[in-house]
């Protein structure tokens, strides 16, 4: 996968691992993933913290660097 990714429709998603990918942006709809507990994006091509990440009240673990 490359470029911008829209994952807002995966509302039941609990674990998102995009480390070592060429994904450059996650759309702000990530805030709709209310069940997301783990977001692993280290060594990815992300250029900014995803908008809407502050809405992830279930998030337990975040790895961006």
């Amino acid at each position: 996968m490359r470029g911008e990714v829209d994952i807002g429709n995966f509302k039941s998603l609990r674990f998102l691992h995009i480390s070592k990918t060429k994904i450059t942006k996650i759309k702000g709809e990530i805030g709709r993933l209310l069940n997301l507990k783990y977001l692993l994006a280290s060594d990815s091509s992300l250029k900014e913290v995803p908008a809407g990440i502050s809405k992830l009240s279930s998030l337990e673990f975040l790895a961006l660097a």
Side-chain angles (χ1 to χ4, degrees), residues 29-63:
E29 287 84 6
I30 193 171
R32 288 194 246 155
L33 305 178
L34 300 179
N35 294 314
L36 191 67
K37 292 184 180 244
Y38 301 93
L39 174 55
L40 306 173
S42 57
D43 294 323
S44 69
S45 296
L46 278 180
K47 297 180 180 181
E48 59 188 52
V49 174
I53 202 168
S54 62
K55 296 178 183 176
L56 301 176
S57 59
S58 295
L59 194 64
E60 296 176 8
F61 187 81
L62 174 63

Side-chain angles (χ1 to χ4, degrees), residues 5-46:
V5 177
D6 182 3
I7 57 171
N9 293 325
F10 300 104
K11 294 183 172 103
S12 298
L13 194 68
R14 292 180 182 203
F15 189 91
L16 181 59
H17 186 244
I18 60 168
S19 295
K20 299 183 182 180
T21 66
K22 296 189 187 252
I23 295 172
T24 58
K25 183 176 182 181
I26 299 175
K27 291 187 174 185
E29 287 84 6
I30 193 171
R32 288 194 246 155
L33 305 178
L34 300 179
N35 294 314
L36 191 67
K37 292 184 180 244
Y38 301 93
L39 174 55
L40 306 173
S42 57
D43 294 323
S44 69
S45 296
L46 278 180

